[in-house]
Amino acid sequence: MYQDLSTPLRTILTPGPVEVDPRVLRVMSTPIVGQFDPAFTSIMNEVMGMLRSLFKTKNQWAFPVDGTSRSGIEAMLCSVIKPGDRVLVPVYGRFGNLLIEICERYGAKVDILEQEWGKVFEPAEIIQAIDDKQPDIVALVHAETSTGRMQPLKDIGEACRKKDVLFIVDAVASIGGVDVRVDEWCIDGLIAGTQKCLSVPSGMAPLTYNERIEKRIALRKKVERGIATEEELQQTNSLYIKSNYFDLTMLQDYWGPRRLNHHTEATSMLYALREGLRLVLEEGLDERFARHQYHEKALVAGLEAMGLSLFGDPNVKLPTVTCIAVPEGIDADAVRKMLLDMFGIEIASSFGPLHGKIWRIGTMGYSCRRENVLAVLGALEAVLVYFGAPIHKGEALKTAINYYA
Amino acid sequence: MYQDLSTPLRTILTPGPVEVDPRVLRVMSTPIVGQFDPAFTSIMNEVMGMLRSLFKTKNQWAFPVDGTSRSGIEAMLCSVIKPGDRVLVPVYGRFGNLLIEICERYGAKVDILEQEWGKVFEPAEIIQAIDDKQPDIVALVHAETSTGRMQPLKDIGEACRKKDVLFIVDAVASIGGVDVRVDEWCIDGLIAGTQKCLSVPSGMAPLTYNERIEKRIALRKKVERGIATEEELQQTNSLYIKSNYFDLTMLQDYWGPRRLNHHTEATSMLYALREGLRLVLEEGLDERFARHQYHEKALVAGLEAMGLSLFGDPNVKLPTVTCIAVPEGIDADAVRKMLLDMFGIEIASSFGPLHGKIWRIGTMGYSCRRENVLAVLGALEAVLVYFGAPIHKGEALKTAINYYA
């Protein structure tokens, strides 16, 4: 009744999920071991060490949450936010709105700072808002895949630290593709994703947090257990952490030396994450970031040679996502459909106000390589010619080949 | 610095995670496709269909939550429970306590009914408690791996339906190993796990719920959106659902025909779940349940021939978990360690009051086969002899071979 799994082989050039490195796919076929088998807990420890290198942090706590990227975001926010906390969320795309939604669900008073989609904030603007709004927490997206922009973080992080505000960053789309420096940029809590620049399947959300956050959540745990002192109770108006699954105090007791049983770690996904991290560290962080920029330049040069316009402020472009303005009179979704059906190439639309207005091409992780850049340039040109868009024929591939040659 | 992934090949006879079927391991190496690729959404639909067959339900909604088993439990409970709801939780082992904890975190008033570990409840006792406590919800574990017992559900389900109480069941440890009949037993919401009798790695939590639950959560969504009528607001004192990641109304919009983007479905894990379900349906549900009982009988006969005593009420024994009383004077953990180190066989301890008092041998899914039963009987006898336990030498394997011959 149900046939063998049979899927087409795609060229995936979306902002995620992207093609998985064959080495990562291969380790997922490894027979599993039990969660408390020393052979497995040593792998857990290795992954923590690799994550610290990736995040550029000395934090003790760096481990994945077993769920897709937003599970990590929710674990961080629901563990840190007490009802009534003030959170400042600067929004410059769709995933900023997700931060707002999660903060509000957990009872935060959210102050929103809005920027036009396609731009980012001047750090001074956010720092001014911190002075005005006096938040307990600033929650910010590092890389907005919805608009292809990247927000510089260092000045904001330093300002937060100076004012004793917690700084929480969603780096789901940047980690492994562009530089992220947790300690140097004074980031207190950071959430990453696997299915973008790490080229690991979706299903895990690596995160890290420092002692400032650990101290805060430890206090909530004491409240939960009814062992907080009078003085400690005055420091926190908190209820305990709502979620069991996302309670970082429980996750850290499972990932730490106490090894208290919480969930059953997702064995095969952890094997995959380990191999994905190993690939990143073998390539070298700087070399990997340079590779992403190298292929981005080829793609951008090819698209511009074709006569297409890019969307968004070029000074803050996210190197791993390139947004193209859909030419007048062209049905954006029809182009994407033909790319997929005829060429087996997937590119993305965007969300909300940008749907149908831009295409997004991701060049992330294993998907970020020469043959993919050339494939999408050639196919996109052919499809646009087919639909009668006024483009410069033959220029895109010529330009890209010259670049690579 | 970090070596190739290198793990020992274990014989896993715990109550989960258990050995993964080689066919499931193999499909995890399949290159992925994008989440909105028609090649992928058709797989999502197939998995929903297979889950309906497994659950024996006509429910529209049957899909996995992307997280380990307890993520499904939390998704179900946090979506259904409104603050102040009364939940009756009958507890006969550790995982009943997890239900209590999650219900309380989400603001329920929990009435607890306790049974000695090793026994289950007479249905009449629970039905009486429903009359006494007048709960909105009954939350109950079907199979307690901590004690190896199984609670009959049909009478309780029928009573709940008659009294218009929601009946939510944790079937993480039973699904795929023993019969579970969602519709016939009047179960409103049920959560399963992958890493036990389905022999799929940990990391997904399939669940199902019917229109009674769907109606209830739809009302909460209206409240969230501010579009509930006055009359509807009187029907619910609810706040909206706290969690974004676990909000079943959002998950059903992603799994349903609207395909609203929520998370990025965990591609490789879904491939694994699909193959695991296909294996279950190919084997046949009745045949699979019979296989679990067949090998359980061999294991029990061998253990008893060795002179060991089983723990717990034999009339309500869970066929997939066999609990052994640790003989007087034997260090339970030392035996487990030697089994793992010398024989590569993993069996389990238990939790809380039972730790060190019993061993638990799981015979679940792919782990449930003749060579594993014989391996653990032989190895356990040898290790017990080594530690000087007073057992009948040579009887266990003789008995099991005679059974199988």
Side-chain angles (χ1 to χ4, degrees), chain A residues 90-121:
Chain A
V91 177
Y92 60 104
R94 189 221 185 195
F95 290 96
N97 287 329
L98 176 63
L99 296 181
I100 295 173
E101 191 198 315
I102 296 174
C103 289
E104 287 183 339
R105 284 186 183 232
Y106 284 98
K109 290 181 188 151
V110 179
D111 287 305
I112 302 168
L113 206 60
E114 283 192 273
Q115 176 56 285
E116 188 186 328
W117 286 28
K119 300 181 172 179
V120 303
F121 294 89

mmCIF file of all heavy atoms in Angstrom, chain A residues 90-121:
data_model
loop_
_atom_site.group_PDB
_atom_site.id
_atom_site.type_symbol
_atom_site.label_atom_id
_atom_site.label_comp_id
_atom_site.label_asym_id
_atom_site.label_seq_id
_atom_site.Cartn_x
_atom_site.Cartn_y
_atom_site.Cartn_z
ATOM 1 N N PRO A 90 13.530 44.928 18.572
ATOM 2 C CA PRO A 90 13.645 45.656 17.316
ATOM 3 C C PRO A 90 13.324 44.699 16.153
ATOM 4 O O PRO A 90 13.877 43.614 16.081
ATOM 5 C CB PRO A 90 15.116 46.088 17.276
ATOM 6 C CG PRO A 90 15.643 45.823 18.675
ATOM 7 C CD PRO A 90 14.831 44.682 19.185
ATOM 8 N N VAL A 91 12.415 45.135 15.283
ATOM 9 C CA VAL A 91 11.910 44.243 14.230
ATOM 10 C C VAL A 91 12.248 44.813 12.862
ATOM 11 O O VAL A 91 11.891 45.951 12.557
ATOM 12 C CB VAL A 91 10.375 44.092 14.340
ATOM 13 C CG1 VAL A 91 9.842 43.225 13.199
ATOM 14 C CG2 VAL A 91 9.990 43.498 15.676
ATOM 15 N N TYR A 92 12.904 44.004 12.049
ATOM 16 C CA TYR A 92 13.178 44.445 10.671
ATOM 17 C C TYR A 92 12.841 43.356 9.658
ATOM 18 O O TYR A 92 13.345 43.357 8.532
ATOM 19 C CB TYR A 92 14.631 44.939 10.531
ATOM 20 C CG TYR A 92 15.709 43.916 10.840
ATOM 21 C CD1 TYR A 92 16.416 43.308 9.813
ATOM 22 C CD2 TYR A 92 16.042 43.585 12.154
ATOM 23 C CE1 TYR A 92 17.422 42.380 10.078
ATOM 24 C CE2 TYR A 92 17.034 42.663 12.425
ATOM 25 C CZ TYR A 92 17.715 42.063 11.385
ATOM 26 O OH TYR A 92 18.696 41.138 11.655
ATOM 27 N N GLY A 93 11.933 42.432 10.075
ATOM 28 C CA GLY A 93 11.499 41.361 9.181
ATOM 29 C C GLY A 93 10.613 40.394 9.944
ATOM 30 O O GLY A 93 10.294 40.603 11.115
ATOM 31 N N ARG A 94 10.286 39.307 9.306
ATOM 32 C CA ARG A 94 9.297 38.393 9.851
ATOM 33 C C ARG A 94 9.721 37.733 11.150
ATOM 34 O O ARG A 94 8.894 37.456 12.019
ATOM 35 C CB ARG A 94 9.013 37.305 8.822
ATOM 36 C CG ARG A 94 7.850 36.454 9.231
ATOM 37 C CD ARG A 94 8.083 34.989 8.961
ATOM 38 N NE ARG A 94 6.871 34.251 9.274
ATOM 39 C CZ ARG A 94 6.832 32.938 9.419
ATOM 40 N NH1 ARG A 94 7.897 32.223 9.244
ATOM 41 N NH2 ARG A 94 5.712 32.348 9.752
ATOM 42 N N PHE A 95 10.989 37.417 11.280
ATOM 43 C CA PHE A 95 11.382 36.624 12.447
ATOM 44 C C PHE A 95 11.498 37.464 13.709
ATOM 45 O O PHE A 95 11.475 36.950 14.818
ATOM 46 C CB PHE A 95 12.610 35.783 12.122
ATOM 47 C CG PHE A 95 12.242 34.693 11.151
ATOM 48 C CD1 PHE A 95 12.440 34.840 9.782
ATOM 49 C CD2 PHE A 95 11.611 33.555 11.600
ATOM 50 C CE1 PHE A 95 12.034 33.851 8.881
ATOM 51 C CE2 PHE A 95 11.203 32.560 10.717
ATOM 52 C CZ PHE A 95 11.415 32.713 9.347
ATOM 53 N N GLY A 96 11.595 38.779 13.540
ATOM 54 C CA GLY A 96 11.415 39.664 14.689
ATOM 55 C C GLY A 96 10.003 39.533 15.247
ATOM 56 O O GLY A 96 9.801 39.536 16.465
ATOM 57 N N ASN A 97 9.042 39.390 14.345
ATOM 58 C CA ASN A 97 7.657 39.229 14.819
ATOM 59 C C ASN A 97 7.466 37.945 15.612
ATOM 60 O O ASN A 97 6.672 37.897 16.551
ATOM 61 C CB ASN A 97 6.688 39.250 13.628
ATOM 62 C CG ASN A 97 6.538 40.653 13.051
ATOM 63 O OD1 ASN A 97 6.640 41.645 13.770
ATOM 64 N ND2 ASN A 97 6.324 40.730 11.750
ATOM 65 N N LEU A 98 8.213 36.919 15.243
ATOM 66 C CA LEU A 98 8.131 35.673 16.011
ATOM 67 C C LEU A 98 8.642 35.894 17.437
ATOM 68 O O LEU A 98 8.046 35.400 18.401
ATOM 69 C CB LEU A 98 8.946 34.568 15.319
ATOM 70 C CG LEU A 98 9.021 33.222 16.068
ATOM 71 C CD1 LEU A 98 7.643 32.587 16.205
ATOM 72 C CD2 LEU A 98 9.981 32.250 15.369
ATOM 73 N N LEU A 99 9.721 36.656 17.570
ATOM 74 C CA LEU A 99 10.226 36.948 18.919
ATOM 75 C C LEU A 99 9.154 37.663 19.748
ATOM 76 O O LEU A 99 8.930 37.342 20.912
ATOM 77 C CB LEU A 99 11.498 37.811 18.843
ATOM 78 C CG LEU A 99 12.717 37.181 18.171
ATOM 79 C CD1 LEU A 99 13.899 38.156 18.199
ATOM 80 C CD2 LEU A 99 13.110 35.880 18.867
ATOM 81 N N ILE A 100 8.511 38.641 19.129
ATOM 82 C CA ILE A 100 7.445 39.369 19.842
ATOM 83 C C ILE A 100 6.371 38.409 20.305
ATOM 84 O O ILE A 100 5.934 38.422 21.463
ATOM 85 C CB ILE A 100 6.795 40.418 18.924
ATOM 86 C CG1 ILE A 100 7.801 41.503 18.548
ATOM 87 C CG2 ILE A 100 5.551 41.041 19.587
ATOM 88 C CD1 ILE A 100 7.269 42.477 17.508
ATOM 89 N N GLU A 101 5.944 37.559 19.386
ATOM 90 C CA GLU A 101 4.836 36.670 19.714
ATOM 91 C C GLU A 101 5.185 35.766 20.891
ATOM 92 O O GLU A 101 4.390 35.597 21.815
ATOM 93 C CB GLU A 101 4.457 35.832 18.491
ATOM 94 C CG GLU A 101 3.139 35.108 18.726
ATOM 95 C CD GLU A 101 2.910 33.960 17.777
ATOM 96 O OE1 GLU A 101 3.155 34.134 16.561
ATOM 97 O OE2 GLU A 101 2.465 32.897 18.261
ATOM 98 N N ILE A 102 6.390 35.197 20.847
ATOM 99 C CA ILE A 102 6.764 34.279 21.938
ATOM 100 C C ILE A 102 6.886 35.049 23.256
ATOM 101 O O ILE A 102 6.399 34.601 24.302
ATOM 102 C CB ILE A 102 8.065 33.532 21.599
ATOM 103 C CG1 ILE A 102 7.840 32.637 20.374
ATOM 104 C CG2 ILE A 102 8.535 32.687 22.784
ATOM 105 C CD1 ILE A 102 9.095 31.950 19.857
ATOM 106 N N CYS A 103 7.511 36.223 23.213
ATOM 107 C CA CYS A 103 7.637 37.026 24.443
ATOM 108 C C CYS A 103 6.261 37.336 25.032
ATOM 109 O O CYS A 103 6.051 37.229 26.243
ATOM 110 C CB CYS A 103 8.373 38.335 24.153
ATOM 111 S SG CYS A 103 10.132 38.131 23.804
ATOM 112 N N GLU A 104 5.332 37.729 24.174
ATOM 113 C CA GLU A 104 3.997 38.097 24.675
ATOM 114 C C GLU A 104 3.262 36.889 25.247
ATOM 115 O O GLU A 104 2.568 36.993 26.253
ATOM 116 C CB GLU A 104 3.177 38.755 23.566
ATOM 117 C CG GLU A 104 3.668 40.179 23.270
ATOM 118 C CD GLU A 104 2.829 40.905 22.232
ATOM 119 O OE1 GLU A 104 2.132 40.227 21.446
ATOM 120 O OE2 GLU A 104 2.898 42.160 22.207
ATOM 121 N N ARG A 105 3.405 35.751 24.571
ATOM 122 C CA ARG A 105 2.732 34.558 25.089
ATOM 123 C C ARG A 105 3.201 34.239 26.505
ATOM 124 O O ARG A 105 2.439 33.742 27.320
ATOM 125 C CB ARG A 105 2.998 33.360 24.174
ATOM 126 C CG ARG A 105 2.190 33.394 22.882
ATOM 127 C CD ARG A 105 2.392 32.124 22.087
ATOM 128 N NE ARG A 105 1.677 32.171 20.815
ATOM 129 C CZ ARG A 105 0.839 31.223 20.390
ATOM 130 N NH1 ARG A 105 0.593 30.150 21.108
ATOM 131 N NH2 ARG A 105 0.225 31.335 19.222
ATOM 132 N N TYR A 106 4.466 34.511 26.796
ATOM 133 C CA TYR A 106 4.988 34.201 28.135
ATOM 134 C C TYR A 106 4.879 35.382 29.085
ATOM 135 O O TYR A 106 5.525 35.410 30.122
ATOM 136 C CB TYR A 106 6.416 33.654 28.027
ATOM 137 C CG TYR A 106 6.398 32.220 27.538
ATOM 138 C CD1 TYR A 106 6.619 31.912 26.203
ATOM 139 C CD2 TYR A 106 6.076 31.184 28.405
ATOM 140 C CE1 TYR A 106 6.554 30.587 25.752
ATOM 141 C CE2 TYR A 106 6.011 29.870 27.971
ATOM 142 C CZ TYR A 106 6.251 29.580 26.643
ATOM 143 O OH TYR A 106 6.172 28.279 26.211
ATOM 144 N N GLY A 107 4.063 36.354 28.715
ATOM 145 C CA GLY A 107 3.700 37.368 29.693
ATOM 146 C C GLY A 107 4.598 38.582 29.752
ATOM 147 O O GLY A 107 4.489 39.383 30.691
ATOM 148 N N ALA A 108 5.480 38.762 28.777
ATOM 149 C CA ALA A 108 6.338 39.945 28.789
ATOM 150 C C ALA A 108 5.562 41.168 28.304
ATOM 151 O O ALA A 108 4.594 41.061 27.563
ATOM 152 C CB ALA A 108 7.551 39.722 27.885
ATOM 153 N N LYS A 109 6.005 42.341 28.785
ATOM 154 C CA LYS A 109 5.544 43.603 28.196
ATOM 155 C C LYS A 109 6.544 43.961 27.101
ATOM 156 O O LYS A 109 7.699 44.275 27.396
ATOM 157 C CB LYS A 109 5.499 44.695 29.252
ATOM 158 C CG LYS A 109 4.398 44.474 30.261
ATOM 159 C CD LYS A 109 4.360 45.580 31.281
ATOM 160 C CE LYS A 109 3.363 45.229 32.388
ATOM 161 N NZ LYS A 109 3.731 45.820 33.677
ATOM 162 N N VAL A 110 6.098 43.914 25.879
ATOM 163 C CA VAL A 110 7.022 44.059 24.759
ATOM 164 C C VAL A 110 6.969 45.474 24.192
ATOM 165 O O VAL A 110 5.891 45.992 23.888
ATOM 166 C CB VAL A 110 6.699 43.043 23.650
ATOM 167 C CG1 VAL A 110 7.656 43.210 22.466
ATOM 168 C CG2 VAL A 110 6.773 41.620 24.196
ATOM 169 N N ASP A 111 8.131 46.096 24.111
ATOM 170 C CA ASP A 111 8.258 47.337 23.347
ATOM 171 C C ASP A 111 8.847 47.005 21.991
ATOM 172 O O ASP A 111 9.878 46.332 21.898
ATOM 173 C CB ASP A 111 9.172 48.337 24.087
ATOM 174 C CG ASP A 111 8.473 48.929 25.299
ATOM 175 O OD1 ASP A 111 7.371 49.477 25.127
ATOM 176 O OD2 ASP A 111 9.030 48.820 26.404
ATOM 177 N N ILE A 112 8.176 47.475 20.967
ATOM 178 C CA ILE A 112 8.582 47.127 19.600
ATOM 179 C C ILE A 112 9.216 48.347 18.941
ATOM 180 O O ILE A 112 8.693 49.462 19.035
ATOM 181 C CB ILE A 112 7.356 46.672 18.777
ATOM 182 C CG1 ILE A 112 6.691 45.476 19.458
ATOM 183 C CG2 ILE A 112 7.781 46.321 17.343
ATOM 184 C CD1 ILE A 112 5.328 45.125 18.893
ATOM 185 N N LEU A 113 10.333 48.102 18.293
ATOM 186 C CA LEU A 113 10.980 49.139 17.501
ATOM 187 C C LEU A 113 10.922 48.633 16.068
ATOM 188 O O LEU A 113 11.366 47.525 15.791
ATOM 189 C CB LEU A 113 12.430 49.253 17.968
ATOM 190 C CG LEU A 113 13.169 50.571 17.783
ATOM 191 C CD1 LEU A 113 12.459 51.690 18.536
ATOM 192 C CD2 LEU A 113 14.601 50.412 18.283
ATOM 193 N N GLU A 114 10.355 49.445 15.163
ATOM 194 C CA GLU A 114 10.173 48.916 13.813
ATOM 195 C C GLU A 114 11.069 49.592 12.792
ATOM 196 O O GLU A 114 11.247 50.809 12.825
ATOM 197 C CB GLU A 114 8.708 49.052 13.395
ATOM 198 C CG GLU A 114 7.837 47.989 14.038
ATOM 199 C CD GLU A 114 6.457 47.901 13.431
ATOM 200 O OE1 GLU A 114 5.569 48.661 13.885
ATOM 201 O OE2 GLU A 114 6.270 47.104 12.498
ATOM 202 N N GLN A 115 11.583 48.771 11.906
ATOM 203 C CA GLN A 115 12.381 49.282 10.790
ATOM 204 C C GLN A 115 11.755 48.753 9.500
ATOM 205 O O GLN A 115 11.232 47.634 9.475
ATOM 206 C CB GLN A 115 13.833 48.803 10.942
ATOM 207 C CG GLN A 115 14.776 49.177 9.821
ATOM 208 C CD GLN A 115 14.844 50.671 9.554
ATOM 209 O OE1 GLN A 115 13.915 51.252 8.964
ATOM 210 N NE2 GLN A 115 15.922 51.299 9.991
ATOM 211 N N GLU A 116 11.795 49.556 8.480
ATOM 212 C CA GLU A 116 11.300 49.153 7.157
ATOM 213 C C GLU A 116 11.983 47.841 6.728
ATOM 214 O O GLU A 116 13.194 47.699 6.889
ATOM 215 C CB GLU A 116 11.649 50.282 6.176
ATOM 216 C CG GLU A 116 11.067 50.141 4.802
ATOM 217 C CD GLU A 116 11.616 51.250 3.892
ATOM 218 O OE1 GLU A 116 11.890 52.361 4.405
ATOM 219 O OE2 GLU A 116 11.786 50.994 2.699
ATOM 220 N N TRP A 117 11.212 46.926 6.141
ATOM 221 C CA TRP A 117 11.787 45.657 5.670
ATOM 222 C C TRP A 117 12.763 45.948 4.526
ATOM 223 O O TRP A 117 12.432 46.657 3.579
ATOM 224 C CB TRP A 117 10.680 44.701 5.212
ATOM 225 C CG TRP A 117 9.904 44.083 6.357
ATOM 226 C CD1 TRP A 117 9.693 44.631 7.590
ATOM 227 C CD2 TRP A 117 9.251 42.815 6.355
ATOM 228 N NE1 TRP A 117 8.943 43.763 8.365
ATOM 229 C CE2 TRP A 117 8.656 42.642 7.621
ATOM 230 C CE3 TRP A 117 9.097 41.783 5.420
ATOM 231 C CZ2 TRP A 117 7.928 41.502 7.961
ATOM 232 C CZ3 TRP A 117 8.365 40.654 5.749
ATOM 233 C CH2 TRP A 117 7.794 40.511 7.019
ATOM 234 N N GLY A 118 13.956 45.417 4.662
ATOM 235 C CA GLY A 118 15.000 45.660 3.648
ATOM 236 C C GLY A 118 16.148 46.477 4.221
ATOM 237 O O GLY A 118 17.202 46.616 3.608
ATOM 238 N N LYS A 119 15.896 47.068 5.413
ATOM 239 C CA LYS A 119 16.950 47.798 6.121
ATOM 240 C C LYS A 119 17.201 47.142 7.480
ATOM 241 O O LYS A 119 16.488 46.219 7.875
ATOM 242 C CB LYS A 119 16.514 49.250 6.340
ATOM 243 C CG LYS A 119 16.238 50.005 5.044
ATOM 244 C CD LYS A 119 15.843 51.436 5.322
ATOM 245 C CE LYS A 119 15.769 52.213 4.004
ATOM 246 N NZ LYS A 119 15.355 53.606 4.210
ATOM 247 N N VAL A 120 18.204 47.656 8.188
ATOM 248 C CA VAL A 120 18.389 47.246 9.585
ATOM 249 C C VAL A 120 18.444 48.516 10.430
ATOM 250 O O VAL A 120 18.246 49.628 9.917
ATOM 251 C CB VAL A 120 19.681 46.402 9.780
ATOM 252 C CG1 VAL A 120 19.677 45.176 8.881
ATOM 253 C CG2 VAL A 120 20.924 47.247 9.554
ATOM 254 N N PHE A 121 18.714 48.363 11.701
ATOM 255 C CA PHE A 121 18.757 49.516 12.607
ATOM 256 C C PHE A 121 20.165 50.085 12.711
ATOM 257 O O PHE A 121 21.147 49.340 12.694
ATOM 258 C CB PHE A 121 18.305 49.114 14.018
ATOM 259 C CG PHE A 121 16.862 48.714 14.088
ATOM 260 C CD1 PHE A 121 16.484 47.398 13.884
ATOM 261 C CD2 PHE A 121 15.884 49.651 14.371
ATOM 262 C CE1 PHE A 121 15.144 47.024 13.953
ATOM 263 C CE2 PHE A 121 14.547 49.291 14.440
ATOM 264 C CZ PHE A 121 14.181 47.965 14.231
#
